[in-house]
Amino acid sequence: MGDVHALIALARVREEAGDVGAVDTLAARAAQVGDAPALTALAEDRAETGDHEAAEALYENAADAGSAPALFRLMQIREVAGDYEGAEAYAQRAVDAGDNSAFFDLMRIREVAGDYEGAEAYAQRAVDAGDNSAFFDLALWREEAEDYDRAARLFRRAADAGDARAIAHLVQIREEAEDHADAEALAREAADVGDASVLVVLARLREEAGAHDDAEALAGQAADTGDTSALFYLALRREDARDYDGAMAFAQRAAEVGDTQALLSLARARGHSGDRDRAEALYKRAAEAGSVAALTALARLREAAGAHVEAESLAQQAADADDTSALFDLALRREESGEHLQAETLARQAADAGDTSALVDLVRLREAAGEHERAESLAQQAAEAGDASAVFDLALRREESGEHDRADALYKCAAKAGLAAALTHLAGMREEAGAHAEAEALAQQAADAGDTNALFDLALRREETGDREGAEVLAQQAGAGGDTSILIALAQLRRAQGDQVGADALDRQAVNAGELNHTGLKDRWPYGLDADGEPSPPWTAAIASAVTHPVDASAD
């Protein structure tokens, strides 16, 4: 019958016009042609208006026409009314129609009615139909009802059906029933097929029950499969119990199979509590096991203890493993304590490892302290290491303060490091000094590096000083590189000055350079320009036909 939304709208319009039988008429037509979606939509509309009797009748018609959603709604209606037998009948009709998801509803209805055997029978049918979660869901309901014996049996059936979640629940039930041997056997069974998480669960349960030796053995078995989380857990439990040696032993076992997180966690806890010696011992073990974070932490501890040489050595080891944060910290500490040369040495080491942030910070500090030459030297070192930001900032400062020679040298350093913006500023300085040819060369270099701002600035300067030809040359250079904004800007200036011919010529150059989307140009020449520079005619049907169906000249 078409769009069901339109159908509902039509029914309501007719009802508002006084046609109280509109829905019945449309429903009769839908039933006649077997339109299940239309009948279902009409039923939902009746339900929304509160006419539940009419809605149920329409759902019946929709279900007869093959609507699975209608069967589901009818099942819900019967269930809410307490008619479980009727609800089950509708769910069974859904199953008979090929909707296997209705097995879940049949299972649930039987469970609510207390027919556990019937619920299990439907769960088995759901599993046979490919739903491995049915026994697991049923087991959860039994577990929530504290029917642990039936829950355990159902979790076992769920596991046998391939639901890996079931074993953990089954282990917990067996463990709480003090059937430790069965719980452990189940956990090992799961581990044998690749799921060590159940061993971890059991290790935690044993630990919480005070069976520390069993917990340790299980955690070791889990670790043998690659899961160290139980060892981590036991380490933290021992730490909380102030059994520091025991905590370290578990953390060490985890580290031996490649997981240093427990050692690091214990070390941080010891450090926070003020036990520096134990913290340092733990960090050393973590570092020996390959933890870069531990090297960084040790460097900071050694620095705080006044062992500067050792701290620097550790920081360099961390930097060699791509963590320069310790070198950064030490450089700033040295700077704060007045050890400027040592600070610079450490900052250069960090830069050599790819982190110029310490050098850049030292530049800022030296500049603020009035040590301008030292700041420039450090900025140049950062630029040589690939970070031209500091030297560029200093160049801007020097230019603003009128120190053009220093600014020039610093801009050149930034440009050498690949910063196109430095070329733009150099071009501007050369232009102001009257070295126009050099300014243009620098502007072109900046454009080649992706920054056309210098060309734009020079073009406008030429235009303002009356060198219109020079301005156009620069605009054309930018256009050749794909930036038509200067041509368009010059055109707007010429037009504002009353030079319409000159403006049009520049606009044409912009179009020829590929500018087709600028609003002003698109309004003037919506179809572009021909090869002779004249506006192209509209793309007429005759032209389109000639292009898509060309005449075969050879036919004559």
Side-chain angles (χ1 to χ4, degrees), residues 1-84:
M1 290 183 69
D3 186 342
V4 294
H5 299 294
L7 179 71
I8 300 303
L10 176 61
R12 289 189 173 175
V13 167
R14 288 187 178 178
E15 283 184 326
E16 289 171 3
D19 183 359
V20 294
V23 171
D24 293 337
T25 302
L26 291 169
R29 288 177 58 193
Q32 187 176 11
V33 298
D35 191 336
L39 287 163
T40 303
L42 289 167
E44 290 171 351
D45 180 67
R46 292 300 86 194
E48 286 179 11
T49 61
D51 189 350
H52 300 297
E53 185 176 346
E56 190 168 348
L58 286 165
Y59 279 129
E60 285 283 3
N61 290 335
D64 291 340
S67 170
L71 283 170
F72 179 74
R73 289 293 295 121
L74 287 167
M75 181 199 72
Q76 287 183 315
I77 290 168
R78 293 294 86 217
E79 197 170 0
V80 168
D83 179 7
Y84 296 109

Side-chain angles (χ1 to χ4, degrees), residues 85-305:
E85 186 176 343
E88 188 172 345
Y90 283 118
Q92 186 61 57
R93 281 179 64 184
V95 167
D96 294 342
D99 182 4
N100 290 331
S101 66
F103 278 127
F104 179 87
D105 297 305
L106 287 167
M107 182 177 76
R108 180 177 48 74
I109 290 168
R110 290 291 84 215
E111 174 77 7
V112 171
D115 179 7
Y116 305 131
E117 290 183 3
E120 288 185 36
Y122 280 125
Q124 184 61 60
R125 290 180 65 184
V127 169
D128 293 340
D131 181 3
N132 292 339
S133 66
F135 280 123
F136 182 80
D137 291 334
L138 198 54
L140 284 179
W141 296 337
R142 291 293 81 222
E143 188 177 32
E144 288 169 5
E146 299 184 358
D147 183 356
Y148 297 117
D149 288 342
R150 184 172 277 109
R153 184 164 51 79
L154 289 166
F155 279 129
R156 178 75 266 180
R157 294 185 72 177
D160 292 341
D163 194 322
R165 299 171 297 171
I167 289 292
H169 287 266
L170 189 53
V171 164
Q172 186 154 352
I173 289 173
R174 299 267 47 90
E175 182 71 8
E176 289 174 357
E178 298 187 359
D179 186 352
H180 305 308
D182 192 28
E184 195 164 328
L186 287 164
R188 288 202 182 92
E189 176 188 330
D192 288 342
V193 295
D195 183 7
S197 63
V198 185
L199 283 170
V200 174
V201 169
L202 189 54
R204 291 188 175 199
L205 290 171
R206 293 283 168 89
E207 176 70 12
E208 289 165 7
H212 304 308
D213 291 343
D214 286 352
E216 183 176 344
L218 290 162
Q221 292 171 37
D224 290 340
T225 70
D227 188 336
T228 58
S229 56
L231 289 172
F232 192 174
Y233 171 76
L234 292 180
L236 297 183
R237 291 274 297 188
R238 294 291 192 275
E239 176 76 8
D240 290 342
R242 299 182 182 278
D243 177 7
Y244 302 128
D245 291 339
M248 184 182 286
F250 284 120
Q252 184 64 45
R253 287 181 65 183
E256 286 167 2
V257 291
D259 184 356
T260 59
Q261 289 306 307
L263 283 170
L264 289 172
S265 182
L266 293 179
R268 293 187 191 106
R270 293 293 83 223
H272 290 322
S273 68
D275 187 351
R276 286 179 173 271
D277 291 342
R278 192 174 294 275
E280 193 167 323
L282 288 161
Y283 278 130
K284 281 181 178 177
R285 292 200 179 192
E288 289 165 1
S291 171
V292 179
L295 286 170
T296 299
L298 277 172
R300 289 169 178 149
L301 284 175
R302 293 284 77 211
E303 176 72 8

Side-chain angles (χ1 to χ4, degrees), residues 259-437:
D259 184 356
T260 59
Q261 289 306 307
L263 283 170
L264 289 172
S265 182
L266 293 179
R268 293 187 191 106
R270 293 293 83 223
H272 290 322
S273 68
D275 187 351
R276 286 179 173 271
D277 291 342
R278 192 174 294 275
E280 193 167 323
L282 288 161
Y283 278 130
K284 281 181 178 177
R285 292 200 179 192
E288 289 165 1
S291 171
V292 179
L295 286 170
T296 299
L298 277 172
R300 289 169 178 149
L301 284 175
R302 293 284 77 211
E303 176 72 8
H308 304 311
V309 174
E310 191 178 351
E312 290 176 19
S313 175
L314 289 163
Q316 186 59 60
Q317 290 176 53
D320 292 340
D322 294 329
D323 183 354
T324 58
S325 58
L327 282 174
F328 180 89
D329 290 347
L330 294 183
L332 294 189
R333 283 175 179 265
R334 296 288 190 277
E335 181 69 13
E336 289 169 4
S337 64
E339 300 174 71
H340 304 309
L341 292 177
Q342 191 58 26
E344 291 180 17
T345 299
L346 291 164
R348 277 195 295 272
Q349 289 175 15
D352 290 341
D355 182 359
T356 59
S357 55
L359 275 174
V360 171
D361 271 10
L362 289 181
V363 169
R364 177 178 52 78
L365 292 170
R366 293 285 195 278
E367 181 72 5
E371 299 177 34
H372 305 308
E373 290 186 11
R374 200 70 210 130
E376 290 178 16
S377 175
L378 291 167
Q380 287 166 349
Q381 291 175 45
E384 289 166 5
D387 184 350
S389 61
V391 77
F392 182 73
D393 288 343
L394 290 182
L396 290 174
R397 284 173 173 266
R398 301 296 182 266
E399 186 180 5
E400 288 171 4
S401 64
E403 300 173 75
H404 298 298
D405 289 343
R406 294 306 310 144
D408 187 273
L410 293 166
Y411 279 134
K412 284 179 178 175
C413 179
K416 186 178 179 181
L419 194 62
L423 290 168
T424 297
H425 281 268
L426 279 171
M429 288 176 65
R430 292 291 182 278
E431 179 72 6
E432 287 181 359
H436 305 307

